[in-house]
Every structure is written in structure tokens, then in C-alpha cells.
Amino acid sequence: MPDIAKGHTVQRYDQELSQVRDQVLAMGRRVVEQVNAAAGALTEGEIALARQVVDRERHVDRQEMAVDEAIFNLIARRQPAAIDLRLVMALSKCTGYLEQAGDKAEQIAWCALRIKDREARGAVPRTLHHVRRLHRIASRLLDLALMALADIDVDRALDVFREEGELEEEFDAAMRHLMTFVFEDAALLGQVIDVVFALRALVTIGDKASNMAEQVIFVAKGTDVRYRNKEILIATLSQASSSSAPGGGPE
Amino acid sequence: MNAIAEDITRMTGAMTADDLAPLRDFSGTVGDFTSPKARMICRNVDVHYGDKHAIKNVSLDIGRNEVVAMIGPSGCGKSTFLRCLNRMNDTVPGCRVRGRITLDGQDIYDKQQDVVPLRAQVGMVFQKPNPFPKSIYENVAYGPRIHGLTNDKVELDALVETSLRKAGLWDEVKDRLQQPGTGLSGGQQQRLCIARTIAVSPEVILMDEPCSALDPIATARIEELIDELREQYSIAIVTHSMQQAARVSQRTAYFHLGDLVEVGETSQIFTNPSHKLTEDYITGRFG
Ligand SMILES: Nc1ncnc2c1ncn2[C@@H]1O[C@H](COP(=O)(O)OP(=O)(O)O)[C@@H](O)[C@H]1O
Ligand SMILES: [Mg+2]
């Protein structure tokens, strides 16, 4: 698909739109780094890395404010319409989602710090197994969502919907498993609570990726698919994208 | 193409519809061109200027209490189509109109149809305010008098007042009704022209770029007026300002090289147009 920010008679408008999009994508990459670092800090018990995540959270906030300002100016000066308006609205929402995902990364980092504080040896390895698995799913969803956003790629967005179910499944499995630990050894309760916090944060990060994928569909198709049944959506949209070439209007 | 558009094209070297002709790839209007409250119904309208095919098989309704905006690149046929609605094209040499256009069920191109009352029923406001070189009062009273609506002084006074009130001009001119209309500001002159149109009890008001000679404040007042007039009249407005179309209309029709490419609810056209050509125009991707 050609770059949707391009093609305006006023080329400066092209630049401004792509700049905002690039800012959001850069913010997305930073959030991915933060999530990976936070999960790594927790599973490897690396205090320094956890501190770094907490430290860098400010940068994510600053990026959000910069994007908001750019969008604010762009709306005031260009009055975007149609697909441009949808793109700007979507980028604005996605920044918000990314900022929330960034907050969750920080929460995970705090969990890592608390566990280390309580128990010098760090978390019991068996509990961390679930963090690794959920982190793998959440960060894949985030990657997919950002790729979908970069190219307004409906198929990639649908991949997010297809894979997001694994999050809850994995979380439920983890809860059942962690409960048995607590029953076996009540002394583990403190750290299990922290691990559950971290797991929940990872689920939320995956949800934010799904929210971003919804915005990609909004830009491409002009329909708001939030709160819609995702299975039906996958069925209708994957049919549509395989049967007709994208881009052309009905003729 | 009107003179101003021609000048701009010459000065800027901007592409005209004719330059784009080879790129044309089109068939059929996207969207619902009918209106449930249709007052004017246009079906399969074709207009030629000599060999030039300026309007191509266009069907569109103008409904009661609605403002229909017509947008599109300069030379795409907006004014030509608008002029079909009150047979203003009859006076243009070499111009042929085909198809069917009805007003409240009556074929306006019927042999029996007299164009003088038609132009009262379907009034027109032009780009450049064109008051007669007469008093403000006479500008408004002239139409009702020649259309035989009334000759009674008291009735005429009342009609002038209500027309000026509806046009939002009364308070500004009530103390100087005998002064020349041409002495008013541009925005006031345009509202005077609207009062003149209203005075002969139209059903439909056509406006061809009515604000393009006005400043933003005068423009805002006309837009506010259009919104009020919608309660009584059907309005079709040609505008080259997409923002204006978005602000004043309920339905928007996008013309391109004589084709009606797409028509739909204004909110849909400006947030999610169906046709690529509409989208390119709305988003500022011209050619
Ligand atoms: N009186 C005329 N004689 C010949 N061609 C005309 C006349 N008026 C308009 N045209 C042509 O018809 C096309 C549509 O013109 P017009 O309706 O004025 O477009 P718009 O109002 O969208 O700018 C243009 O190509 C224009 O050059
Ligand atoms: Mg015109």
C-alpha cells in the first residue's frame, strides 16, 4: 500500500502528517524497549535495569506530550479531512495507548524492585516462567500493532486480534499454577502477588496493542470497530482484503 | 468556467478539468442521489455547450429543508448544473440541456412552463453581489411588483420588511431604506440580494459561490443565514470552500469533469468518502 500520508498538493502537509506518524512510531519503539527491559529486569533480577526503566518512563511521557502538541497544531492549521482526519484521530488515540503501555512497563519494573527488596535471591524461578511466556505474547502483539500502524496494514491488525486471545488463556493458566505455590508455601505470597501484578500489566500491554489495531482498521476502513466481536471482524475483513484490491473506491 | 476561475488558472498554471480529461475513468454516481423529501428531482441530466459535454448523466434531488452543497474542481460543471435548476442556461448560446428536472412534480422544461415565474420559485444568488442601482427598498420591492405579488403600498412595505428581516439585514438598513443598495458593504449587499430573492416567495434558493467575494465575518453571517433559511426553503449551494460545504450543508455532491462522482450525507463525505476521487479532492490531493 502506498504511504497514506503522501500525495497532498501542499507537500508540507505530507511532511507534517508523516512526521506525526513517525513520532508515534518512535514512541512505540521506546515503549517496546521499556516493556522488554522491565520484563527482563523481573526475570533476571536485574535491579539496575529496573531502575533504568523507571527512569526512562519520563521520556515516554514527554514523547506523548510532543505528539499531542504536533497533532493539536496540525488540526488547527490543516483541518484534516477524510482519511487524513481518521489518521490524525487514530494517531492521537495510539499515543494515549502507548503512554498507558509505558506506565505498565514501569509497574513491572517496580515489581522487580520490590521482589528483590524482599528477597535478595530474587523471585522463585518457577513463578518467572509465566512472566516470560506472557511477555513474549504481549511484546509480539505490540510489534504487530506498530507494524500495522506504520503501513496501515489491515492484515497485520487482524493478526493482533487473532493472537490476543492467548493473553487471557496464558494469564488464567498462570493464576492456577501460582495459586498452588501459595498453598504449598504461604511465605511466597508476597512475591506471588507482585508476579501477578506484573502478569496483569503484561495483559494490559497486549490490550493496548489490540486497541491500536482497532485504530488501524478505523483509518483503513472508516469504521469504528471498538467493542465489536473480533471473530466476526476477522471473518469479514480477511475475506474483504483477499477478494478486492485495497485502495480503490467502488467504481 | 467563470472569469475569475479562468484568470486564476491562467495566473497559476493550475490544472483545469480539460487537462485531466485523459485520466478520466468513471461510471455512475456513488451514494444515494435521491432525497426522501425531494422538492426538485433531476434525472439523467446532460448539458452540452456546442461539442463540449459539460454535465454527464447527472441525477440528484434537492430536498425540503435541506442544504445541498456542490463541490469539485473549477470547471467540473457545478455552476452549469445549478443553472439547469432554474433554466438560466436557456440564455446561454449553444447550450443544450437534456434529461428531466421537476419542481414539486412539475417538469420545469415543459413547453407550458413560463421561465419568469420559475425564476421566482427557484431564486438565484450569485458570486458577486449584484444589487440594482436603486434604493434598498426598491431592490426588494421590485420583484414582488413585477411578479404581480402585490401593488399595495402597505403590503409591499410589510413584504420588504419581512424579507429584509429574514435576510438578517433589517436592523442595519431600516433607517436608510431609500439609500442606494450599492452603498452597502459587500456582505450587506449579498444579504440584500438574498432578501430580493426571498421577497418573491421562492421554494428553492440557488447560490453560486455566494461568499467568495466576502470577508470571513460577512461569510459567517451568510452561513448563519443559510442555516436559518433552510427552515423554509430548499437550498443548493456551489462553493469552492470545502470547509464551507462541511459547515452549511446536510448533503454534499462531488462533481468531477461533468460527472457527479459521489453524493452523500455531508458528515460521511468529509469523514469517510467512498470514492477515491472524492477522497483526493476532500483531502487536498489534486491530480
Ligand atoms: N457559456 C459557456 N460556453 C462554453 N463552455 C462553457 C460555458 N460555461 C461553462 N463552460 C464550460 O463548461 C465546463 C463547466 O463549467 P462550469 O459549470 O462553470 O464549472 P464550475 O462552476 O464547476 O467551475 C467548463 O469546462 C467550462 O469551460
Ligand atoms: Mg462555477
Side-chain angles (χ1 to χ4, degrees):
Chain A
M1 185 170 185
D3 188 340
I4 62 156
K6 293 282 153 63
H8 295 94
T9 306
V10 178
Q11 289 178 18
R12 184 86 203 122
Y13 186 12
D14 281 353
Q15 288 169 23
E16 286 171 11
L17 264 181
S18 5
Q19 243 166 38
V20 176
R21 184 195 43 206
D22 293 348
Q23 272 176 284
V24 175
L25 293 174
M27 182 177 171
R29 284 192 296 276
R30 164 96 60 177
V31 169
V32 170
E33 277 169 27
Q34 286 284 86
V35 171
N36 293 344
L42 178 57
T43 54
E44 308 311 318
E46 296 217 27
I47 298 276
L49 196 54
R51 291 231 171 86
Q52 194 187 72
V53 170
V54 172
D55 233 36
R56 289 192 176 164
E57 163 56 17
R58 286 177 293 141
H59 299 301
V60 178
D61 293 346
R62 245 183 262 138
Q63 277 175 303
E64 183 198 23
M65 288 169 69
V67 170
D68 281 352
E69 190 184 338
I71 288 177
F72 194 48
N73 281 317
L74 191 133
I75 291 173
R77 296 169 50 137
R78 305 281 180 202
Q79 292 104 44
I83 195 165
D84 298 336
L85 178 59
R86 302 203 299 273
L87 177 63
V88 168
M89 290 274 291
L91 288 173
S92 174
K93 284 227 153 68
C94 285
T95 335
Y97 297 141
L98 285 169
E99 191 278 329
Q100 290 160 13
D103 283 350
K104 293 296 158 184
E106 189 190 7
Q107 276 183 18
I108 296 168
W110 279 112
C111 291
L113 291 170
R114 276 198 303 270
I115 288 172
K116 211 51 185 177
D117 207 33
R118 203 180 290 116
E119 171 64 62
R121 278 172 298 145
V124 179
R126 284 176 303 168
T127 63
L128 296 178
H129 163 73
H130 296 290
V131 174
R132 287 200 189 87
R133 290 183 62 128
L134 259 176
H135 166 240
R136 207 178 307 131
I137 302 169
S139 91
R140 166 151 172 88
L141 292 175
L142 209 48
D143 280 339
L144 279 172
L146 288 168
M147 284 191 281
L149 183 64
D151 300 327
I152 306 301
D153 183 339
V154 170
D155 292 328
R156 281 260 159 72
L158 294 179
D159 284 341
V160 175
F161 302 148
R162 285 190 190 99
E163 294 181 26
E164 69 178 328
E166 292 172 30
L167 274 176
E168 288 291 341
E169 278 167 32
E170 193 60 41
F171 181 78
D172 291 345
M175 285 300 282
R176 284 194 296 273
H177 193 206
L178 290 171
M179 281 308 131
T180 61
F181 287 159
V182 179
F183 287 132
E184 283 165 18
D185 183 355
L188 285 178
L189 183 62
Q191 93 163 238
V192 165
I193 287 176
D194 270 321
V195 169
V196 170
F197 257 130
L199 294 176
R200 202 61 233 172
L202 286 166
V203 171
T204 305
I205 289 165
D207 289 344
K208 297 301 149 194
S210 175
N211 292 150
M212 289 171 60
E214 291 165 352
Q215 295 303 313
V216 172
I217 306 282
F218 175 66
V219 178
K221 303 288 176 187
T223 21
D224 188 343
V225 298
R226 292 175 299 171
Y227 318 114
R228 289 270 199 89
N229 180 309
K230 294 293 189 289
E231 268 98 57
I232 297 174
L233 204 61
I234 292 166
T236 19
L237 287 181
S238 45
Q239 252 174 15
S241 64
S242 61
S243 64
S244 78
E251 303 220 291
Chain B
M1 196 185 312
N2 62 50
I4 289 182
E6 236 154 33
D7 284 343
I8 290 172
T9 307
R10 209 172 25 247
M11 284 185 298
T12 60
M15 278 223 250
T16 66
D18 292 337
D19 296 328
L20 292 169
L23 302 175
R24 180 165 177 273
D25 172 22
F26 182 77
S27 61
T29 297
V30 174
D32 186 4
F33 54 75
T34 67
S35 168
K37 299 180 293 179
R39 188 124 223 211
M40 294 204 87
I41 296 178
C42 309
R43 289 293 175 273
N44 310 105
V45 175
D46 274 280
V47 182
H48 284 85
Y49 295 105
D51 291 341
K52 162 109 199 155
H53 198 174
I55 287 291
K56 299 166 187 165
N57 196 17
V58 168
S59 297
L60 180 65
D61 291 355
I62 315 290
R64 207 173 287 275
N65 311 119
E66 79 173 354
V67 179
V68 179
M70 298 173 189
I71 59 171
S74 187
C76 67
K78 306 176 294 291
S79 297
T80 298
F81 184 72
L82 200 70
R83 285 196 301 265
C84 293
L85 301 179
N86 71 347
R87 293 185 55 174
M88 291 280 285
N89 285 325
D90 290 12
T91 57
V92 177
C95 182
R96 283 174 296 128
V97 178
R98 275 185 323 199
R100 189 175 161 79
I101 302 179
T102 60
L103 170 60
D104 295 332
Q106 293 286 19
D107 185 346
I108 65 167
Y109 282 86
D110 193 285
K111 297 275 175 293
Q112 312 292 313
Q113 174 74 54
D114 183 352
V115 297
V116 176
L118 174 68
R119 291 194 190 134
Q121 283 176 294
V122 185
M124 189 147 185
V125 177
F126 298 87
Q127 177 175 353
K128 216 171 157 298
N130 55 350
F132 310 132
K134 293 201 161 150
S135 71
I136 293 168
Y137 182 96
E138 266 313 303
N139 263 278
V140 183
Y142 179 79
R145 215 185 273 126
I146 62 149
H147 284 100
L149 261 57
T150 181
N151 259 321
D152 179 80
K153 170 83 172 114
V154 179
E155 271 179 33
L156 209 51
D157 286 355
L159 187 53
V160 168
E161 178 173 341
T162 43
S163 302
L164 285 168
R165 277 191 192 281
K166 281 187 196 164
L169 193 59
W170 176 251
D171 288 335
E172 290 158 64
V173 300
K174 60 171 188 261
D175 300 324
R176 45 170 168 153
L177 291 174
Q178 295 313 323
Q179 288 173 23
T182 47
L184 297 170
S185 74
Q188 289 172 326
Q189 287 188 22
Q190 196 61 301
R191 278 180 280 138
L192 179 60
C193 293
I194 292 172
R196 189 174 69 187
T197 307
I198 293 170
V200 292
S201 306
E203 273 128 57
V204 180
I205 301 175
L206 311 176
M207 300 185 173
D208 196 347
E209 299 185 15
C211 301
S212 55
L214 306 182
D215 71 23
I217 295 169
T219 297
R221 297 204 57 176
I222 300 282
E223 289 180 3
E224 165 68 9
L225 178 57
I226 291 172
D227 204 49
E228 286 167 21
L229 295 176
R230 177 163 75 89
E231 288 173 18
Q232 280 191 52
Y233 311 100
S234 300
I235 298 172
I237 178 172
V238 166
T239 171
H240 59 228
S241 157
M242 283 178 267
Q243 297 303 324
Q244 179 166 71
R247 288 189 298 258
V248 303
S249 70
Q250 283 69 53
R251 287 200 302 146
T252 297
Y254 173 66
F255 287 79
H256 185 88
L257 301 171
D259 290 303
L260 175 53
V261 170
E262 182 168 359
V263 53
E265 299 275 331
T266 297
S267 58
Q268 178 249 318
I269 296 289
F270 282 88
T271 57
N272 191 14
S274 300
H275 203 287
K276 187 78 173 65
L277 289 170
T278 318
E279 179 173 278
D280 284 351
Y281 184 71
I282 296 278
T283 59
R285 292 168 168 92
F286 317 109

